[in-house]
Structure formats: C-alpha cells, structure tokens
Amino acid sequence: MPLNVVCGPARPYLARLMESARQGITGGGCYYRVHNKETGYVWLHMKARLIGLYHNVPAMLGVVVNSTLEAQSQAGLIAHFNSIVAVIDLKTDEILFANDAAEDLWKTGMPYSGGPCWAFASGRSSRCEWCPLHRLENRDTLEEDVHDTVHERWFRVNGERMDWYGREAAALFLTDITAHHQAYQQLQADNRVLQETIDGIPAGIAVYEKKNGLIRRIGVNRYLCQIKGMTREQLIAEDFAGIFVRVMPEFMPMVKDDLVHVFRDGRSDAVYQTRNIQTGEPVWIHRRGTAVLQEDGSQLGFFSYHDITAEKRTEEE
C-alpha cells in the first residue's frame, strides 16, 4: 500500500505495526485511515505477521479489513448530538471524528481527515490558546467554560479520555453558552450601574431579595455602611437572623415583621433604634421600603434608611 494514501498522522502507527511484525511480534493490529476520493477517507484495520524471507528480505503477510462501517457505528451514536462533538488524538491532535454540529460550526467545506484540529477548525499553526486538550493528558475528565476567540463563541466543554480504535484520544462535547454568557455579562454590568446609582443617593440604601421563601440582603450603599459602622462585605454576608442583631430588643419584633411584610403589602414604613458597631452608639432609623415582583417570581425589596438621631434628641429635649 503506498504510504501517500495513508492519512499523515496514522503513518507512525502503521510503521510501528510493520516493525513489530518484522520482529515476530503479533498483536491486535492497527486501525488507520486512508484518503478516499468519494468519501474523504475510509477506516482500515490491518494485522501483519512475518512469514519468512524472500531474497533475504523479511516477507510479511498483511490482512486488511475495511472497518469503516464498524467505526461509523460508534460514531453514529454521537453524530447527531445537539452538542458539538469531536474526538481528537491526544498525541497528534488529529481529528478522528467530528459530528454534524462541529462541521456546521467550522464550515470549512473540506474533509477533516488527516489533519490536526487547530489547522482544520481555526486555520492555525498550533493549538488554540483556549484549548483544554492538554488538561486531559493527566486526567480522565474535565468540565470548564472556554472562549473560542476565532469563532467568538463561549462553550461549556465536557471532555473525557477514551480509546478510539487503538488511539489514545479525547472526546470533547461542546455546548454553545454564548447567549448565557452575554446575559451574565449584561447582568454584571447592570449590577455595577445599580451599585453606582445607589451609592450616589444621599441616604442609606439596601436591596433585599425574597426567593424560594428566603430573604437575604444583596446590595447596600456606602451611606448605610456608615450608619451601621460595617463594611459592604459584612452587611452582604449576614444571614436573615443577623440582620436584626443590632436592633434594640424592644424594636426587634416590629422591625422583623416590617421586613417580612413588605413583600406581602408592597410598602413599609418603620422607625426604630439600632446600634452602630464601630462607635457603639445607639442610632434612630426611619426606614421605608418598596417591593417589586420579578419575572422569575422572586421579589426585590428596596429600602431607604435615614438617620434621625439628631431629630429624636431634639424631641427629647
């Protein structure tokens, strides 16, 4: 068989088989691909053994079987997955299999046999910088999100080491999460705008979320941090019970009910006394709240906090 019809990355495998046979070693043979004008390539399975010498030259018997249908039966199980699926040789980066979704993404119009994935899919001369293949060289599975800078897509990659007809390979399952990632980026941007907005309001501001029956504080501004004598991180980290620990005991039931009921009534208005952690001094607060229903069924509660300690002292005098 002329070697020029054998797909390039398969030639070393075939050469090792022939050398083993020359030394009298027989085994399971070798799976490899050869170029085909009609289908792009076909899979062959060769077994070889030494049968003697011919004019002092080792003579070998090679039995070659067309195993394309056998290979296609395995490939057929994943060919029509909605996910993008590719099987890559871990040593040569050769594409051993790519399903319809992968070929639709790459859109090269050329057969993928015989070449490395990075040349075929991205027109590069080396592995893509986002490629997770090298992380499968020392582990069996992986799951991570990657940014394909060539096609400007975000993918969630699930990878698994496998044996593909005698080749040490990796099966990569790629799910396009571009829309999800863009939505997440927009949410991050919206959160930054919201934080900048509430930081600019000259009053204490807190945002609470009620979801699945649980209420938690998800945003505060710097004025509220000053009123309470705490950092933004400390206030966000508090659980539901922690929200009320600084409230004076005689006001605690009322303040707790006010926070819970705003999500039922839509509005709230409370005056109570709490304590500043840094100074230890009591602080009078006038708090107003408004609840807004979200598309997913959760609710957001927006509260303003006004320090009315000076006013209360004036009243007492």
Side-chain angles (χ1 to χ4, degrees), residues 192-207:
R192 285 193 294 270
V193 171
L194 174 61
Q195 190 63 60
E196 291 169 1
T197 301
I198 65 175
D199 271 343
I201 299 173
I205 299 293
V207 182

Side-chain angles (χ1 to χ4, degrees), residues 31 74 87 90 96 160-171:
Y31 285 92
Q74 178 169 329
V87 179
L90 279 173
L96 302 176
E160 183 174 344
R161 289 172 66 99
M162 65 179 300
D163 179 275
W164 186 270
Y165 298 100
R167 304 284 192 92
E168 188 178 0

Side-chain angles (χ1 to χ4, degrees), residues 1 14 30 32 34 43-48 61-67:
M1 175 187 297
L14 198 57
C30 171
Y32 61 99
V34 297
W43 279 96
L44 300 178
H45 183 202
M46 173 183 279
K47 289 188 176 182
L61 171 67
V63 178
V64 180
V65 177
N66 185 342
S67 59

Side-chain angles (χ1 to χ4, degrees), residues 10-39:
R11 294 172 190 173
Y13 293 95
L14 198 57
R16 284 196 292 271
L17 173 69
M18 304 304 289
E19 178 59 23
S20 296
R22 188 186 69 80
Q23 296 175 14
I25 302 171
T26 58
C30 171
Y31 285 92
Y32 61 99
R33 290 186 291 185
V34 297
H35 296 290
N36 182 283
K37 291 182 179 179
E38 293 182 1
T39 63

